[in-house]
Amino acid sequence: MSIEEISSIIMRSFTKAHWPHWNGKENLQEAIRQKETCKKLNIGFLKVTDSDYPVMLKTISNPPYMLFYRGSLEGFSQKSVSVVGTRNLSPEGKTSAFDFAKKASQAGVCVISGLAKGADGFAHKGAVDAWFETPENDSLGRTIAVLPGPIDEIRPQLHVKLAENIIKSGGCLVSEYPPLSEFGNWQYVQRNRIIAALSPATVVIEAPNGSGSLITVDFALELSRDVMFHKSCFNDYAKKINEGVIKNLENQYNNKKISRHKFEVCVDQYVKDGAPVIEDFEDYCKCFSEIPGSRSSVNTYTTNTNINRIEQLSLFD
């Protein structure tokens, strides 16, 4: 169809001035090519109107019109938790992500993450490991990896085998982008909104200032989801990494290369505002039964170093 025909059907004024390169015939051929690729690679797809489309994802203002997937959709019908964190994890953070996800899976909770290096990868590995210990156990929570790019492209390549194991263990890979489509770095942020939307709560394993994981936190809060921070965020190794990150961000901010928000956003601020800190999966479950804001002792985890430094810098703005 031409863009003018589409405009007439949906009763909105879209013309070639808006999409000068629109070519309905070429788009149709591309769609046919993508559909054939889906058949060859055993890729399934859901429209937002389909009954199997994830219910929690339907509730957001901009759900993907289509979801492409490889593997089983069983995880979408289970209780779920999103696990995110930095790519440059401390040894404690690696163990924390793995153990949290493994315990969650053993409790029948599906682990949602993004297949990235660091926290994402260790979270998926923990859930998969639970399956390898007791294969074919239907009571186990699955794990779902939300890809930033097209469904037929694994990023990073380091996690190709992990992606295979996710499918083997009854989980799945999902993406809002069809096979053979192009990839852009902006899609990482779009992916984060899906990770946040698919669970009632997001757990951050470790996240230095300005981390992409904190973008997921912002999405979760906008969607009225719970956000919790693992105590590993505050271990000495993580703090040392963050000191270097802060210096780099400070230089970028002074040189007007990044926004104030990018520099200011930090774990300490979320905790100062009342976000709970948890120790493990059991503590995560316990936290849901507590009165919101009752964990006043969590302030002992923070040093307020980040907050003080930002406040001092703002005096000279």
Side-chain angles (χ1 to χ4, degrees):
M1 299 178 73
S2 70
I3 195 65
E4 289 84 5
E5 289 172 318
I6 293 174
S7 296
S8 175
I9 291 172
I10 66 175
M11 293 184 290
R12 293 181 64 184
S13 179
F14 295 120
T15 66
K16 288 184 178 179
H18 297 92
W19 282 286
H21 303 297
W22 179 274
N23 187 311
K25 292 182 179 179
E26 287 184 3
N27 291 343
L28 176 59
Q29 291 304 311
E30 179 64 15
I32 292 172
R33 190 167 70 102
Q34 291 171 343
K35 186 176 181 180
E36 289 302 313
T37 302
C38 285
K39 288 182 180 179
K40 290 178 182 178
L41 299 181
N42 198 26
I43 296 170
F45 49 86
L46 298 169
K47 299 189 301 294
V48 70
T49 53
D50 291 341
S51 59
D52 289 338
Y53 192 95
V55 175
M56 294 198 72
L57 193 55
K58 282 186 179 182
T59 64
I60 70 174
S61 62
N62 59 340
Y65 175 71
M66 294 189 74
L67 270 186
F68 298 86
Y69 67 92
R70 301 176 74 175
S72 170
L73 296 175
E74 182 179 349
F76 287 122
S77 62
Q78 298 177 320
K79 294 180 180 179
S80 62
V81 58
S82 295
V83 180
V84 298
T86 181
R87 288 170 171 79
N88 191 16
L89 274 182
S90 69
E92 180 180 330
K94 294 175 182 178
T95 301
S96 298
F98 183 92
D99 289 348
F100 181 93
K102 185 174 182 178
K103 289 289 186 181
S105 179
Q106 290 171 337
V109 177
C110 179
V111 177
I112 313 288
S113 199
L115 202 65
K117 291 172 59 178
D120 292 20
F122 281 95
H124 290 306
K125 288 174 183 177
V128 168
D129 192 66
W131 183 86
F132 278 118
E133 284 190 2
T134 53
E136 309 301 336
N137 187 340
D138 291 337
S139 67
L140 289 174
R142 309 308 183 188
T143 185
I144 296 173
V146 185
L147 306 183
I151 187 63
D152 59 332
E153 188 173 336
I154 303 301
R155 289 175 180 268
Q157 282 289 312
L158 174 69
H159 282 166
V160 169
K161 185 63 177 179
L162 176 57
E164 292 176 1
N165 286 336
I166 288 173
I167 295 174
K168 184 178 180 181
S169 63
C172 72
L173 315 178
V174 300
S175 172
E176 62 181 314
Y177 305 108
L180 308 177
S181 56
E182 295 182 359
F183 173 79
N185 286 333
W186 57 272
Q187 292 173 341
Y188 283 109
V189 174
Q190 292 300 305
R191 181 268 305 275
N192 290 354
R193 90 186 191 286
I194 297 176
I195 293 174
L198 285 174
S199 299
T202 293
V203 173
V204 181
I205 301 300
E206 284 178 13
N209 285 43
S211 169
S213 304
L214 300 181
I215 296 176
T216 309
V217 167
D218 284 342
F219 278 126
L221 294 174
E222 289 174 6
L223 297 171
S224 298
R225 308 293 201 253
D226 285 301
V227 173
M228 302 180 192
F229 293 90
H230 197 282
K231 69 173 184 177
S232 62
C233 288
F234 309 101
N235 72 68
D236 291 340
Y237 187 99
K239 288 179 180 178
K240 188 172 183 180
I241 292 175
N242 199 30
E243 287 175 2
V245 171
I246 291 174
K247 289 179 181 178
N248 182 44
L249 290 175
E250 187 174 323
N251 289 333
Q252 291 185 59
Y253 176 73
N254 289 332
N255 292 323
K256 303 186 184 304
K257 292 183 178 180
I258 60 172
S259 67
R260 166 178 283 281
H261 179 73
K262 179 74 173 178
F263 175 71
E264 288 182 343
V265 63
C266 65
V267 171
D268 283 0
Q269 186 63 61
Y270 289 107
V271 175
K272 183 181 178 182
D273 290 341
V277 175
I278 60 169
E279 296 188 2
D280 48 31
F281 178 72
E282 288 78 7
D283 196 32
Y284 162 83
C285 296
K286 179 182 176 184
C287 190
F288 279 108
S289 65
E290 298 174 350
I291 298 173
S294 62
R295 296 198 170 205
S296 58
S297 61
V298 298
N299 291 326
T300 60
Y301 285 103
T302 67
T303 62
N304 287 324
T305 301
N306 296 345
I307 299 171
N308 292 337
R309 188 161 189 169
I310 292 168
E311 289 175 346
Q312 291 170 7
L313 186 68
S314 65
L315 294 176
F316 300 96
D317 254 6

